[in-house]
């Protein structure tokens, strides 16, 4: 196995200690976006700008210290709870096993949601990074995911459990580039719709493929799964995923485009 | 098309921008016939609302004619004349089904910022920052209306634009503020802020059976307008009258049963707490200036209700929560659940019970918007409500 030294160093640098209450990836994101916010805020030189700068400073601080006063106040702890602090491997998203648990409530019946999900070919409609899923048999399917720079990552999966309108489990077949497995449950509530609970595990390989996978699933896999579930909810409840992409505005790129076409 | 675009604090310009397009199958495109500037647009103009971006198209009070519909729109056809609520709602989610339309789960495409700040995001809004979805607003010749099968309400031809334009925000907002007071026989309702929302809150409080309504402000022309409109109204000019003492006097020492804060985060005043608010907001130790809200809490009778249609965005300093607890107050607030109120209030207009056009102070062209914003921001006596028409 070609273990990349930089990754090891990063692991140590960002490995949390007991005083941190923020997940490592979030810390990096905080530090970077905090700095960007400070710069942007100063550039604006108005009240909003100053507020943004202040927020940026708070973010940068939590990024470098791994400790958020705001999170303390709100009782939030995002630092990995399943990881053993002694083991650097559990603290990283760059390689190793990643577990994600996420839930959302959708104002539809378990049967409607189960049926849509059970047809895996529907999944790319709301799972942003999937290019396609093709059923290859009763219990098997072929998955293609988009990766940066035009790469794709592919694997075959088989169904491990299938309880009508209640639960679907899957896992990649042996020898996959990204061994992964998961289960989605469709739990009825008394009058609040259906709770969707997703539990996923994947093995992120080391090396070049590993970094592709890291980018593919993002630095915050739980957040990404959360965003996919939100798209699922919107698609199921409203039939569309509301967007403002491509809408008009008075931003300069329009002026430039017009100048170019004139 | 021409559109009113935001470029920063005190920088609003009318620009030539691309026409809006259908982006979702539940969209419609409206050709705007009338649009208004809201007091809450001044919070954007003054830079109080974060997540605005240069070039954002402003405006959340607008009406017009349907000129294009998405493939899933069957309730509207070309040429229909509609008013559009400023809150965008899907009509399908738990909240919409409960008539909590401004809490719609599915209409804000970018809910992450609001979730970070507030825990959960409210509905998307037209022209009101990217935290609220970044939807292009209606101070333009055309506007894209998402979930057009749910929001737009058709208007009969015999009603003028000016009679129905304010069904898009301020009339329902004032009405919900009064409804939130759960007015009972013999009640006195005190309203802070004689702007358009306060004016409609006064009218609505009388409509809902308040025995006495008291309006508090320091813009004489605004108080005079409300007095002309409502014979039985009592007014207090806080520049020359102690508000708490006067309210006690007017209610025989009981205090108002309900207090409505129709002012919001840019409260004016020269009391010590107001001056501290200015100072703290100026050096960013607080974001909002809640003087009117503090006074409403202080003046409200025991067990009464404080209803807040005024917009707040961030953190309040020196908030007299002890008074609220000590008196067992009820708080009701939030963006208006527009869709619940529009049909009922349209009937009130049709039956001639109210003509909302009384709040209009200026009728201008869309191209006058920069001048209108500038004047509206500083000349509160004369500039009360501005209606813009394209062309």
């Amino acid at each position: 196995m070609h273990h990349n030294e930089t990754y090891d160093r990063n692991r140590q640098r960002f490995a949390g200690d007991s005083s941190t209450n923020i997940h490592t990836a979030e810390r990096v994101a905080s530090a970077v976006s905090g700095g960007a916010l400070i710069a942007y805020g100063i550039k604006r030189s108005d009240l909003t700008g100053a507020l943004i700068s202040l927020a940026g400073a708070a973010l940068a601080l939590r990024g470098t210290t791994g400790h958020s006063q705001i999170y303390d106040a709100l009782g939030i702890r995002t630092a990995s709870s399943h990881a053993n602090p002694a083991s650097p491997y559990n603290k990283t998203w760059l390689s190793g096993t990643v577990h994600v648990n996420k839930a959302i409530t959708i104002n539809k019946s378990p049967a409607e949601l189960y049926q849509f999900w059970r047809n895996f070919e529907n999944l790319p409609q709301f799972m942003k990074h999937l290019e396609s899923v093709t059923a290859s048999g009763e219990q098997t399917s072929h998955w293609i995911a988009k990766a940066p720079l035009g790469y794709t990552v592919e694997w075959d999966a088989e169904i491990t459990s299938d309880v009508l309108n209640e639960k679907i489990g899957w896992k990649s077949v042996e020898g996959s580039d990204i061994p992964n497995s998961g289960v989605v449950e469709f739990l009825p509530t008394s009058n609040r719709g259906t709770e969707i609970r997703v539990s996923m595990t994947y093995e992120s390989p080391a090396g070049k493929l590993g970094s592709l996978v890291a980018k593919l699933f993002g630095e915050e896999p739980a957040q990404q799964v959360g965003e996919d579930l939100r798209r699922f909810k919107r698609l199921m409840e409203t039939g569309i995923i509301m967007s403002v992409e491509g809408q008009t505005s008075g931003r300069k790129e329009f002026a430039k485009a017009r100048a170019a076409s004139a | 098309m021409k559109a009113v675009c935001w470029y920063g604090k005190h920088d609003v310009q009318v620009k030539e921008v691309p026409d809006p397009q259908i982006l979702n199958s539940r969209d419609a495109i409206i050709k705007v016939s009338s649009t208004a500037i809201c007091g809450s647009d001044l919070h954007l103009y003054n830079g109080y609302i974060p997540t605005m971006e240069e070039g954002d198209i402003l405006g959340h009070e607008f009406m017009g004619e349907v000129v294009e519909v998405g493939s899933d729109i069957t309730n509207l056809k070309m040429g229909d004349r509609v008013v559009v609520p400023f809150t965008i709602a899907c009509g399908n989610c738990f909240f919409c089904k409960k008539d909590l339309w401004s809490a719609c789960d599915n209409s804000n495409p970018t809910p992450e910022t609001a979730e970070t700040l507030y825990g959960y995001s409210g509905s998307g809004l037209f022209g009101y920052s990217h935290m609220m979805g970044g939807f292009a607003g209606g101070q333009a010749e055309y506007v894209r209306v998402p979930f057009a099968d749910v929001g737009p309400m058709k208007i009969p031809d015999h009603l003028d634009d000016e009679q129905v334009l304010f069904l898009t925000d301020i009339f329902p907002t004032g009405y919900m503020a009064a409804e939130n007071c759960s007015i009972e026989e013999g009640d006195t309702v005190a309203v802070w802020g004689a702007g358009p929302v306060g004016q409609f809150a006064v009218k609505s409080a009388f409509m809902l059976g308040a025995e006495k309504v008291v309006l508090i402000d320091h813009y004489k022309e605004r108080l005079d307008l409300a007095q002309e409109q409502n014979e039985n109204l009592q007014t207090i000019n806080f520049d020359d009258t102690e508000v708490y003492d006067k309210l006690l006097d007017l209610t025989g020492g009981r205090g108002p049963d309900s207090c409505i804060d129709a002012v919001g985060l840019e409260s004016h005043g020269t009391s010590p707490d107001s001056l501290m608010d200015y100072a703290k907001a100026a050096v960013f130790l607080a974001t909002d200036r809640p003087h009117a809200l503090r006074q409403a809490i202080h003046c409200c009778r025991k067990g009464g209700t404080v209803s807040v249609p005024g917009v707040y965005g961030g953190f309040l300093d020196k908030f007299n929560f002890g008074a609220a607890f000590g008196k067992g107050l009820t708080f009701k607030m939030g963006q208006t659940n527009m869709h619940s109120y529009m049909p009922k209030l349209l009937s009130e207009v049709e039956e001639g019970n109210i003509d909302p056009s009384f709040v209009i102070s200026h009728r201008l062209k869309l191209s006058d918007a920069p001048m209108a914003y500038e004047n509206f921001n500083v000349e509160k006596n004369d500039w009360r409500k501005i209606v813009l028409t394209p062309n």
Side-chain angles (χ1 to χ4, degrees):
Chain A
M1 185 183 278
H2 313 284
H3 231 71
N4 187 319
E5 265 185 35
T6 317
Y7 293 166
D8 285 329
R9 278 204 302 275
N10 282 345
R11 262 191 221 119
Q12 287 187 347
R13 191 183 310 151
F14 292 123
D17 60 50
S18 57
S19 72
T20 62
N21 62 354
I22 306 173
H23 186 278
T24 44
E26 198 182 333
R27 286 177 58 184
V28 179
S30 290
V32 172
S33 52
L37 280 178
I38 295 172
Y40 173 67
I42 289 169
K43 190 172 144 241
R44 289 178 53 119
S45 70
D46 59 6
L47 173 60
T48 309
L51 285 174
I52 291 169
S53 284
L54 268 190
L59 264 181
L61 184 67
R62 79 206 269 282
T64 50
T65 61
H67 193 91
S68 165
Q69 255 89 18
I70 296 170
Y71 274 11
D72 266 357
L74 296 173
I76 294 172
R77 191 177 170 84
T78 62
S80 182
S81 54
H82 55 75
N84 169 8
S87 160
Y89 295 95
N90 283 339
K91 296 294 274 186
T92 177
W93 67 94
L94 290 172
S95 77
T97 303
V98 179
H99 298 283
V100 178
N101 289 300
K102 208 76 193 174
I104 199 165
T105 300
I106 303 182
N107 202 13
K108 286 279 171 185
S109 70
E112 287 169 288
L113 301 173
Y114 166 90
Q115 277 156 28
F116 190 88
W117 195 298
R118 180 61 184 82
N119 181 2
F120 289 151
E121 300 191 355
N122 283 331
L123 298 183
Q125 286 184 49
F126 64 88
M127 290 188 180
K128 202 174 170 182
H129 292 278
L130 283 182
E131 191 166 290
S132 68
V133 182
T134 317
S136 48
E138 273 290 289
Q139 302 292 317
T140 55
S141 47
H142 185 69
W143 299 56
I144 303 177
K146 289 174 262 188
L149 305 170
Y151 285 91
T152 55
V153 182
E154 305 188 19
W155 65 92
D156 288 296
E158 60 190 9
I159 290 177
T160 53
S161 65
D162 187 3
V163 183
L164 185 67
N165 302 339
E166 286 180 20
K167 183 178 171 180
I168 304 166
W170 69 92
K171 97 177 170 34
S172 58
V173 300
E174 217 157 298
S176 292
D177 285 338
I178 315 169
N180 69 87
S181 64
V183 61
V184 54
E185 292 176 283
F186 305 87
L187 306 165
T189 65
S190 51
N191 61 359
R192 292 292 191 279
T194 301
E195 280 180 20
I196 307 291
R197 293 189 175 275
V198 172
S199 174
M200 272 178 59
T201 301
Y202 63 86
E203 302 288 334
S204 185
K208 187 174 168 64
L209 183 59
S211 73
L212 273 182
V213 170
K215 281 181 186 146
L216 171 62
F217 288 97
E219 293 177 345
E220 280 287 8
Q223 186 186 330
Q224 208 139 93
V225 172
E227 285 169 9
D228 282 348
L229 285 179
R230 177 163 13 230
R231 279 190 287 273
F232 181 50
K233 171 188 167 73
R234 292 183 167 186
L235 189 60
M236 291 293 94
E237 289 185 353
T238 73
I240 57 172
I241 298 168
M242 181 48 67
S243 158
V244 292
E245 224 166 281
Q247 77 172 353
T248 182
S249 83
R251 275 179 263 293
K252 291 196 178 96
E253 55 260 36
F254 286 108
K256 279 187 207 143
R258 259 203 322 279
S261 67
Chain B
M1 66 161 183
K2 286 199 164 43
V4 178
C5 300
W6 183 96
Y7 288 95
K9 186 181 175 183
H10 298 167
D11 185 3
V12 161
Q13 301 172 32
V14 177
K15 288 278 188 191
E16 189 66 36
V17 304
D19 287 349
Q21 293 174 338
I22 299 279
L23 301 176
N24 284 120
S25 56
R26 293 176 66 181
D27 289 352
I29 305 291
I30 308 292
K31 183 182 184 195
V32 176
S33 57
S34 295
T35 177
I37 303 178
C38 182
S40 67
D41 286 329
L42 292 180
H43 303 325
L44 305 173
Y45 187 70
N46 288 325
Y48 269 80
I49 307 288
T51 73
M52 286 295 290
E53 289 176 15
E54 273 182 29
D56 283 347
I57 299 173
L58 296 174
H60 56 267
E61 298 179 4
F62 59 90
M63 62 177 297
E65 179 193 326
V66 177
V67 292
E68 195 181 349
V69 293
S71 55
D72 282 335
I73 300 297
T74 54
N75 60 315
L76 299 174
K77 58 179 194 311
M78 307 309 131
D80 280 348
R81 199 166 152 243
V82 293
V83 292
V84 179
F86 76 102
T87 52
I88 301 168
C90 76
N92 308 108
C93 69
F94 170 79
F95 298 98
C96 288
K97 298 281 187 202
K98 273 181 87 75
D99 264 352
L100 297 169
W101 303 86
S102 67
C104 174
D105 245 351
N106 296 319
S107 60
N108 183 351
T110 50
E112 294 81 10
T113 311
E115 283 174 350
T116 305
L117 281 174
Y118 300 158
Y120 312 88
S121 172
S123 75
L125 306 178
F126 287 101
Y128 217 78
S129 87
H130 288 262
M131 187 167 105
M132 308 319 298
F135 289 97
Q139 287 167 11
E141 289 180 281
Y142 296 89
V143 59
R144 166 204 176 213
V145 176
F147 294 124
D149 50 332
V150 177
M153 178 175 70
K154 285 184 216 175
I155 296 299
D157 285 339
H158 67 272
L159 295 174
D160 295 339
D161 274 22
E162 289 187 357
Q163 289 175 282
V164 292
L165 176 59
F166 304 129
L167 293 170
T168 60
D169 178 354
I170 54 175
F171 183 17
T173 295
Y175 188 86
M176 185 170 110
E179 194 188 74
N180 276 341
C181 294
S182 307
I183 294 166
E184 293 175 357
E185 197 187 340
D187 270 8
T188 297
V189 178
V191 180
W192 273 257
V197 169
Q199 301 276 348
F200 285 117
V202 166
K203 286 244 177 215
S204 302
F206 279 124
M207 280 164 73
L208 289 164
E211 185 171 298
K212 220 176 272 178
V213 181
V214 187
L215 181 62
I216 299 140
D217 205 315
H218 68 154
Y219 293 112
K220 187 174 179 305
E221 277 78 356
R222 292 181 172 207
L223 291 172
D224 289 348
L225 173 77
Q227 191 70 72
E228 279 164 32
Q229 287 286 322
N230 306 275
E231 206 185 332
N232 296 324
L233 178 72
Q234 309 267 357
T235 62
I236 299 176
N237 187 329
F238 67 73
D239 277 347
D240 56 35
T241 308
E242 186 56 48
V243 174
Y244 173 77
D245 293 346
K246 184 71 184 171
L247 282 171
L248 275 197
D249 181 49
L250 288 170
T251 55
R254 300 187 302 276
D257 302 276
S258 303
C259 294
I260 295 176
D261 169 9
V263 176
L265 63 82
E266 288 187 71
S267 195
H268 294 227
T270 51
S271 64
D273 71 307
S274 290
L275 298 176
M276 279 303 283
D277 288 340
Y278 275 109
K280 290 204 168 173
V283 296
F284 320 116
L285 289 173
T287 60
D288 299 0
R289 306 197 319 248
H291 169 67
L293 181 57
R294 286 191 201 104
Q295 197 170 59
I297 290 169
H298 187 73
C299 292
C300 194
R301 76 147 160 86
K302 292 177 281 185
T305 299
V306 174
S307 164
V308 187
V311 172
Y312 287 88
F315 298 89
L316 307 190
D317 190 43
K318 302 286 185 290
F319 186 63
N320 46 344
F321 206 71
F325 179 85
K327 293 190 287 182
L329 300 184
T330 297
F331 282 80
K332 302 275 273 180
M333 65 193 84
Q335 298 286 10
T336 313
N337 295 309
M338 292 294 300
H339 304 56
S340 303
Y341 297 100
M342 292 167 73
K344 180 196 156 39
L345 297 181
L346 175 62
S347 312
E348 297 284 349
V349 174
E350 275 201 278
E351 288 162 19
N353 297 331
I354 183 170
D355 181 356
S357 64
F358 76 91
V359 297
I360 300 173
S361 62
H362 290 75
R363 295 165 175 86
L364 299 168
K365 295 292 172 202
L366 190 70
S367 51
D368 297 324
M371 176 268 281
Y373 269 92
E374 200 183 331
N375 285 295
F376 187 27
N377 198 36
V378 292
E379 293 293 333
K380 293 278 189 316
N381 255 328
D382 301 334
W383 292 70
R384 185 174 56 241
K385 190 71 191 177
I386 301 136
V387 175
L388 304 172
T389 45
N391 307 317

